[in-house]
Amino acid sequence: MIGQVLYAASMVAFAVALLFGYFWGANWLLDRMLATTPAMAGEAITRRDSLRTRIRPWIFLAPTLFFLAVFLIYPIIETFRLSLFDRLGQNFIWFANYSWAWNDATFRQSAFNNLAWLIVVPALSTGFGLLIAVLADRLWWGGLAKTLVFMPMAISFVGAAVIWRFVYAYRGPDMAQIGILNAFVTWLGYPPQVWLQIPLVNSFLLMVILVWIQTGFAMVILSAALRGIPQETIEAARIDGAGEVRIFFTIMIPQIATTILVVWTTITIHVLKVFDIVYAMTNGENQTQVLGNLMYRWTFIAGDSGRGATIAIVILLAVTPIMIWNIRRARAAEGTG
Amino acid sequence: MSSVKIRNLYKRYGKVEVLRDVNLDIHSGEFVVFVGPSGCGKSTLLRCISGLETVSEGTIEIDGRVVNDVAPSKRGIAMVFQSYALYPHMTVFKNMAYGLKLMGLPKETIAAKVREAAEKLQLTAYLDRLPKALSGGQRQRVAIGRAIVRDPKVFLFDEPLSNLDAALRVQMRIEISQLKEQLTSTTMIYVTHDQVEAMTMADRIVVLKDGVVQQVGSPMELYDHPQSLFVAGFIGSPKMNFLSGQFADPFKAHTVGIRAEHLDIAPADGAWSGRVIYSENLGSDSFVYVDVGAPEPIIVRQPGKAAHHAGDVVGLAPKVHELHRFDADGRPMMH
Amino acid sequence: MTSIATDLPVARESRLPNWLPRVGVGRLLAHLALLFLVVVWTLPIAGLLVSSFRDPDQLAVSGWWTALTAGRVQEAARLPRATEQAEEAGRFVIRGNLLGANTDRQIATFGPTNATLRANEPGATVAMPAGGEITVEADGAYLWTSPTAFTHTTGPRIYYVAEIPPQFTLENYFTVLTTNGIGRSFINSLTVALPATIISVVVAAFAAYALAWMRFPGRTLLVVAVVGLIVVPLQLALIPVLRLYNNVAGLFGVDGKGYFGVWLAHTGFGIPLTVYLLRNYMAGLPREIMESARIDGASHFQIFVTLVLPLSIPAVASISIFQFLWIWNDLLVALVFLGAQDDQVVLTGRLINLLGAYGDRWELLTAGAFVSITVPLIVFFSLQRYFVRGLLAGSVK
């Protein structure tokens, strides 16, 4: 144990030293190699000065470029290549993996489930987030309420899975229920259920976990946006005789529409990548499979890199529209700023 | 000796030409003000001299050396920014010492220089404070102090007073003028959109419009002999009155210009006559707005309280020697 | 949400007691609705926290919301065989304790058959079908006596209802931390998360500055690429990077799975967002400050270190928190790039293993899960301001 702590500490020190070494060292070297002295000819000074300013950005950027290339750009290309090969990546089989996926029942099930996640989770998270933001901003204990709703954001998907498996826990009908959901159901007079084994219901219950986590995110962002609405527009509407509900839907919502969209897409990205929750809760059993988990199964359990890669590419294609939209927004922001 | 020499300078952003064929000689120790409406290129010209912008064409010389490609810090300049640009996390002392430290000067020299500048600017008591604990005028002085310690050959000011309130602006204007008296060998280039600042501070004024130098001259030259309609209209407050068409015909000019203080109200006979639409009392003097039928009312300056009220019909008599005559191209005509 | 209090006639309002704030029906509904939502959101965590401190036996038989009340369980105990009997003062006697030696539990009622288990209070004496009579005390001690020798070969059962007083214990934590390896994994998680966070934030900060304030060809293209790569799913990178690791590690004859690889992987996957967020912040710093420094003779490196970095501390802090939590909470990257041996499994992975091995040992699972979320919760509650700021920076731009 002590050894591990020491190892961790020394590794932190090592990482920091490495970074300092690179950034300080490279810049020092640059300033050293292309140093200027007053004794040099004016032109030589100028040439060295400009050379330094031209080289320095790449010193700053080099590590980032390395990471982008090795961990993102190369994998995109390589994964696409692998998706055209067989299970061990040896034989080129054109789009056979894609046609397999198209015809595979589990894949279709997963894609269908992902689609359901894609609709349910962002909608519920954004909806609840907006509701809580609106309520909390009007009540004196709203700050505390927001903190509590926001708290799940900090918890890992695995931790959340344990928490919710406990909520959904099942005991036989003749025993006292220890899961709060079944306790509630039996209190209402219904028999307890093995929730995670009922198709469709189980998928929904998994989505509830992600909603539970993401609502806090939506709430924080939307709360900030709501506060950013100029108070004058609301007061003007009030003077015009609009009721609070009408003001909310016709004055406030339109002004935060972009933010709602941003929240929605951000949650969508999380949903498309969802893996941990399904892996920990049901591992895809009883028709709860999703693409993220299916990809993991094919790649690391079944050892078929071709099919795994194919599923990864499908996920990439699904996020591509959001990627393009993001780039457009960034470019627009770049243009004005 | 010429301190800053600009030859055939062009600056373009893509296809947009921000500066066009600028030629300028600024002498050593001179206080030159670049003035013009916003977007005229005056700040860009200053930034080209500082090296913060590269030039597209032409040359800039400082002290006889072409500095087009020389880094800003090696041009022998110092700059005071509109927003002061103080480093918010450093004390006043560290703000002023920053550039000296980068030069690699020994600690004692730095301390001595900073103290000397602080003395000059009455900042000694504030050396350990952070900028946020200073008033606007003090921040401005720190910005100036930071420039002074560099012993620049050329001192650049980019609208340094526009963030201050009116009273403070007048005070700082005086302080900068005094600074100029102390630093006799330092060239100062000052950018402003406020022609009052230009008139009161400058040895010479450079008027710019749309990236082109309109006229260069001392304040009085510009006031008395504007070389274009634009300069005539831009320099002086209130704005010079312009009349054209039938109103200018008697003077054999396309347009005539006359300043408010060069008009008299004559009860009966005058070059023009019209109805008073409004009069402003400023106490020491007053402005009377007279509608003579031209597109804009004529403004007349009168000493003391206004003797005329809205609705009065008055005649206006210009002091003929102060009349500016312009041809159809807006060029002045000889008297 | 609309408050109708203002519409009420003054006379009615004055009848309200003074201490009651002016609450309209709408406002009351708002309070109740928010209260309901907050309760729903907090209950799951509350359940986890309470359960992790409960006695395992109680946890298994009663809901955590009953933790503060005494629980009751129906149980049965088998009495010893005839061979255990002793002769005392002419009577044959079998003694013992139904509840075992060390227990806080109490017998509430008992009986010799399942049907009579609620029939007798502690201290009562009951005839046994197998012969003789038995007395059971509240602490579980029983005395079974008979004038004739016992001859039974299998011990009969005694049915009883036991009362369990509320019991809280730290034992669950002690168990998971030591015997179940959660403690070890806690340190493993730190070993992964700390260096990876530092590396990614430092690397990203330099790049962010370059993209915000330096001029070089291809800058716009690079910014666009960074924005585009933010959303690339992690799944895409797993196979190629793992193969790359194995190839590189093969060259040096070492194992491709290890901490170094995980640091790099986390840095790589997180770098687009980190760079993007930091760049946005840095680009918002006043331009004139940088220009002033350039005139003062500072190089970009000096501007970065002496001006931009100190002025970006709020952003760096919130992004570090984010990156740290993201890495701490990750499962997939650790699963793929770390080995399965004890000194590499991180908390999330260990929890998954616990789930698989002890799916019903809730005392272990809840304690383990709570250990894994303590660090995020501490970070969250102590640095909530930065946390929120980081979120806002990432989304509203």
Side-chain angles (χ1 to χ4, degrees):
Chain A
M1 198 74 106
I2 297 290
Q4 180 84 13
V5 174
L6 286 177
Y7 176 74
S10 67
M11 279 305 148
V12 173
F14 172 71
V16 172
L18 197 73
L19 289 167
F20 267 71
Y22 167 73
F23 283 112
W24 266 255
N27 279 288
W28 179 81
L29 217 61
L30 180 69
D31 287 333
R32 193 63 197 247
M33 302 278 279
L34 291 169
T36 53
T37 56
M40 295 171 79
E43 260 173 48
I45 293 180
T46 308
R47 208 182 50 243
R48 290 191 153 200
D49 281 351
S50 83
L51 206 55
R52 271 209 314 275
T53 41
R54 257 183 289 162
I55 293 175
R56 196 165 338 248
W58 302 107
I59 293 182
F60 278 44
L61 286 166
T64 294
L65 292 177
F66 164 80
F67 282 112
L68 291 180
V70 172
F71 290 92
L72 293 164
I73 294 169
Y74 158 73
I76 293 176
I77 299 163
E78 175 70 3
T79 301
F80 180 66
R81 190 188 72 81
L82 283 173
S83 75
L84 304 178
F85 280 75
D86 65 356
R87 56 181 291 123
L88 294 175
Q90 287 156 339
N91 302 307
F92 184 71
I93 54 171
W94 287 102
F95 290 94
N97 286 322
Y98 291 88
S99 64
W100 158 81
W102 182 251
N103 294 311
D104 183 64
T106 321
F107 179 87
R108 287 180 166 202
Q109 170 88 57
S110 309
F112 170 79
N113 282 341
N114 262 96
L115 205 62
W117 281 74
L118 219 49
I119 295 163
V120 173
V121 176
L124 289 186
S125 307
T126 315
F128 277 121
L130 190 58
L131 179 62
I132 295 170
V134 169
L135 290 177
D137 282 348
R138 281 153 191 256
L139 303 178
W140 58 269
W141 53 287
L144 176 71
K146 285 205 279 188
T147 300
L148 289 174
V149 172
F150 191 40
M151 192 165 56
M153 265 299 282
I155 296 174
S156 66
F157 287 149
V158 180
V162 172
I163 290 172
W164 283 86
R165 259 175 71 148
F166 193 47
V167 171
Y168 300 148
Y170 167 80
R171 288 292 155 105
D174 49 340
M175 297 166 78
Q177 295 299 326
I178 62 166
I180 200 161
L181 181 60
N182 271 324
F184 183 66
V185 166
T186 48
W187 180 72
L188 290 179
Y190 296 99
Q193 303 290 332
V194 193
W195 296 109
L196 294 178
Q197 290 177 16
I198 311 170
L200 294 183
V201 175
N202 53 7
S203 278
F204 179 75
L205 292 178
L206 300 194
M207 296 175 204
V208 166
I209 303 175
L210 195 54
V211 172
W212 181 69
I213 293 175
Q214 294 293 342
T215 296
F217 164 75
M219 175 200 70
V220 165
I221 308 282
L222 292 173
S223 169
L226 283 172
R227 275 192 219 152
I229 295 177
Q231 200 59 34
E232 289 90 341
T233 60
I234 294 166
E235 281 161 3
R238 221 167 260 157
I239 289 168
D240 285 344
E244 295 288 321
V245 175
R246 181 184 289 268
I247 288 177
F248 180 72
F249 283 106
T250 59
I251 308 290
M252 294 166 79
I253 292 281
Q255 293 196 64
I256 60 167
T258 322
T259 313
I260 293 178
L261 204 57
V262 170
V263 168
W264 192 290
T265 51
T266 310
I267 297 175
T268 301
I269 295 169
H270 285 297
V271 169
L272 282 168
K273 298 184 196 173
V274 69
F275 161 77
D276 312 36
I277 292 178
V278 176
Y279 183 79
M281 294 291 286
T282 60
N283 203 4
E285 305 287 326
N286 299 307
Q287 303 176 29
T288 54
Q289 193 62 286
V290 292
L291 292 178
N293 195 44
L294 188 67
M295 182 268 167
Y296 183 83
R297 285 196 76 86
W298 275 109
T299 310
F300 297 102
I301 312 292
D304 188 330
S305 65
R307 288 179 178 180
T310 304
I311 298 167
I313 292 288
V314 171
I315 302 175
L316 177 68
L317 290 177
V319 298
T320 304
I322 299 175
M323 186 192 287
I324 292 169
W325 186 65
N326 273 351
I327 290 176
R328 285 219 176 136
R329 277 195 323 137
R331 286 198 130 158
E334 209 77 344
T336 55
Chain B
M1 191 190 91
S2 183
S3 169
V4 178
K5 192 189 276 179
I6 297 171
R7 288 288 171 270
N8 311 104
L9 182 79
Y10 286 80
K11 173 68 187 173
R12 301 183 192 93
Y13 292 113
K15 283 186 185 135
V16 187
E17 218 159 50
V18 190
L19 292 173
R20 207 177 328 151
D21 197 22
V22 175
N23 287 281
L24 213 53
D25 284 284
I26 297 170
H27 307 298
S28 194
E30 208 177 9
F31 194 112
V32 172
V33 175
F34 295 171
V35 73
S38 61
C40 70
K42 57 190 188 297
S43 277
T44 309
L45 181 54
L46 190 78
R47 292 165 61 82
C48 285
I49 296 172
S50 73
L52 293 171
E53 300 282 350
T54 55
V55 304
S56 307
E57 211 178 294
T59 57
I60 297 175
E61 276 179 39
I62 297 179
D63 258 8
R65 178 165 70 118
V66 175
V67 294
N68 281 24
D69 300 318
V70 175
S73 58
K74 295 181 180 171
R75 294 187 178 197
I77 53 132
M79 187 153 167
V80 175
F81 292 87
Q82 180 173 0
S83 67
Y84 324 132
L86 300 182
Y87 310 131
H89 58 302
M90 296 185 193
T91 61
V92 170
F93 181 91
K94 283 190 179 155
N95 259 286
M96 304 217 289
Y98 186 74
L100 302 177
K101 219 188 251 169
L102 291 173
M103 284 179 199
L105 296 184
K107 263 203 174 113
E108 307 80 60
T109 320
I110 294 176
K113 277 183 174 247
V114 170
R115 279 184 198 289
E116 189 192 345
E119 199 84 18
K120 210 179 277 177
L121 295 161
Q122 295 129 46
L123 285 170
T124 315
Y126 307 106
L127 280 176
D128 291 328
R129 290 211 193 164
L130 288 175
K132 65 174 178 226
L134 299 178
S135 69
Q138 287 163 342
R139 285 180 206 181
Q140 186 63 72
R141 275 195 229 121
V142 176
I144 293 172
R146 203 170 57 179
I148 288 179
V149 293
R150 293 174 53 78
D151 279 333
K153 286 183 288 224
V154 183
F155 216 132
L156 308 174
F157 295 90
D158 189 4
E159 308 223 16
L161 303 186
S162 51
N163 279 357
L164 301 175
D165 62 43
L168 207 51
R169 206 177 303 169
V170 174
Q171 186 196 331
M172 287 309 297
R173 213 157 71 195
I174 295 167
E175 282 186 27
I176 291 177
S177 297
Q178 286 170 341
L179 190 70
K180 169 185 127 187
E181 302 302 322
Q182 290 174 23
L183 306 172
T184 44
S185 63
T186 309
T187 310
M188 295 192 178
I189 304 177
Y190 188 106
V191 164
T192 181
H193 62 270
D194 179 357
Q195 56 92 22
V196 177
E197 272 177 32
M199 294 294 283
T200 52
M201 299 166 81
D203 293 331
R204 273 201 304 158
I205 296 177
V206 177
V207 183
L208 284 122
K209 185 195 169 203
D210 298 335
V212 178
V213 173
Q214 302 289 313
Q215 189 173 352
V216 181
S218 71
M220 282 308 119
E221 271 169 33
L222 263 58
Y223 185 80
D224 292 335
H225 306 291
Q227 296 298 302
S228 64
L229 264 178
F230 174 77
V231 175
F234 191 79
I235 299 290
S237 172
K239 198 171 172 291
M240 183 186 278
N241 297 300
F242 291 117
L243 289 162
S244 50
Q246 61 183 85
F247 301 101
D249 287 343
F251 303 96
K252 297 189 178 62
H254 180 269
T255 305
V256 292
I258 182 80
R259 296 193 189 277
E261 55 268 42
H262 300 146
L263 276 168
D264 280 327
I265 294 186
D269 59 323
W272 311 293
S273 71
R275 185 179 296 271
V276 174
I277 55 173
Y278 181 61
S279 63
E280 276 177 347
N281 273 313
L282 299 181
S284 61
D285 46 16
S286 53
F287 295 112
V288 181
Y289 292 72
V290 183
D291 178 13
V292 296
E296 282 178 43
I298 301 259
I299 306 172
V300 184
R301 176 182 246 154
Q302 297 253 283
K305 262 186 81 181
H308 302 275
H309 304 284
D312 293 356
V313 175
V314 295
L316 298 175
K319 289 176 180 154
V320 180
H321 291 293
E322 307 288 356
L323 200 70
H324 300 273
R325 295 156 64 234
F326 297 95
D327 63 19
D329 298 326
R331 296 279 141 213
M333 299 162 74
M334 292 299 111
H335 287 291
Chain C
M1 269 138 281
T2 156
S3 160
I4 63 163
T6 47
D7 303 335
L8 290 173
V10 179
R12 271 188 71 183
E13 202 179 319
S14 62
R15 257 184 272 151
L16 291 169
N18 279 340
W19 48 266
L20 199 70
R22 293 172 55 199
V23 183
V25 175
R27 201 148 193 88
L28 194 67
L29 275 179
H31 276 286
L32 289 177
L34 188 59
L35 187 66
F36 173 74
L37 287 168
V38 169
V39 167
V40 167
W41 248 261
T42 0
L43 266 186
I45 302 184
L48 180 84
L49 183 60
V50 171
S51 299
S52 69
F53 288 107
R54 289 185 79 199
D55 183 77
D57 295 334
Q58 295 186 5
L59 179 56
V61 295
S62 63
W64 58 268
W65 50 93
T66 65
L68 284 179
T69 59
R72 285 183 164 224
V73 281
Q74 307 171 15
E75 283 177 352
R78 197 174 284 281
L79 298 173
R81 279 179 289 181
T83 47
E84 301 287 313
Q85 64 187 307
E87 203 181 334
E88 287 177 15
R91 292 182 73 89
F92 296 89
V93 179
I94 296 180
R95 286 173 204 278
N97 193 314
L98 292 177
L99 299 172
N102 300 313
T103 176
D104 299 333
R105 301 199 289 175
Q106 303 253 307
I107 299 288
T109 58
F110 72 96
T113 60
N114 201 12
T116 58
L117 92 162
R118 291 182 209 278
N120 310 290
E121 299 283 314
T125 306
V126 185
M128 287 293 287
E133 46 197 21
I134 190 165
T135 308
V136 178
E137 302 297 334
D139 65 355
Y142 60 87
L143 181 67
W144 185 13
T145 63
S146 168
T148 56
F150 293 105
T151 55
H152 58 274
T153 46
T154 40
R157 287 175 198 261
I158 285 284
Y159 297 86
Y160 60 89
V161 173
E163 223 166 48
I164 315 171
Q167 255 181 359
F168 295 97
T169 170
L170 287 172
E171 201 166 326
N172 303 332
Y173 284 94
F174 187 73
T175 313
V176 288
L177 283 175
T178 52
T179 55
N180 295 100
I182 290 282
R184 184 62 195 253
S185 288
F186 189 89
I187 294 168
N188 295 346
S189 276
L190 276 180
T191 313
V192 170
L194 281 180
T197 306
I198 294 170
I199 295 173
S200 54
V201 173
V202 173
V203 165
F206 275 91
Y209 175 79
L211 292 177
W213 289 107
M214 292 166 113
R215 285 179 209 173
F216 56 90
R219 186 174 80 156
T220 321
L221 186 73
L222 209 52
V223 174
V224 168
V226 164
V227 172
L229 290 172
I230 290 175
V231 300
V232 169
L234 198 52
Q235 279 88 353
L236 212 62
L238 298 178
I239 318 171
V241 173
L242 189 63
R243 289 190 173 195
L244 191 71
Y245 276 9
N246 286 335
N247 291 342
V248 173
L251 286 181
F252 297 100
V254 293
D255 189 0
K257 294 188 169 190
Y259 285 115
F260 195 70
V262 169
W263 298 337
L264 295 187
H266 273 306
T267 306
F269 301 143
I271 206 110
L273 187 62
T274 329
V275 169
Y276 174 70
L277 293 180
L278 278 171
R279 190 197 95 97
N280 276 354
Y281 185 88
M282 289 178 183
L285 294 173
R287 161 182 295 271
E288 293 195 339
I289 286 185
M290 319 289 161
E291 292 181 337
S292 176
R294 272 177 69 197
I295 288 179
D296 273 344
S299 71
H300 274 298
F301 183 70
Q302 286 159 324
I303 293 177
F304 176 72
V305 172
T306 59
L307 296 179
V308 172
L309 216 47
L311 294 178
S312 304
I313 283 175
V316 170
S318 44
I319 288 158
S320 302
I321 292 169
F322 249 85
Q323 186 71 0
F324 178 82
L325 286 185
W326 160 249
I327 297 170
W328 182 272
N329 288 338
D330 157 83
L331 171 69
L332 189 52
V333 175
L335 222 47
V336 173
F337 294 108
L338 275 179
Q341 62 270 36
D342 198 43
D343 64 350
Q344 289 194 1
V345 177
V346 294
L347 273 174
T348 48
R350 186 79 68 171
L351 264 183
I352 290 282
N353 293 346
L354 279 184
L355 265 179
Y358 307 105
D360 226 20
R361 297 278 302 276
W362 284 110
E363 75 279 7
L364 298 182
L365 291 172
T366 52
F370 199 74
V371 170
S372 86
I373 66 175
T374 41
V375 170
L377 287 187
I378 290 169
V379 169
F380 172 74
F381 278 114
S382 56
L383 301 168
Q384 195 184 356
R385 202 161 45 96
Y386 286 115
F387 194 74
V388 170
R389 202 184 292 165
L391 267 188
L392 291 177
S395 311
V396 186
K397 178 74 190 179

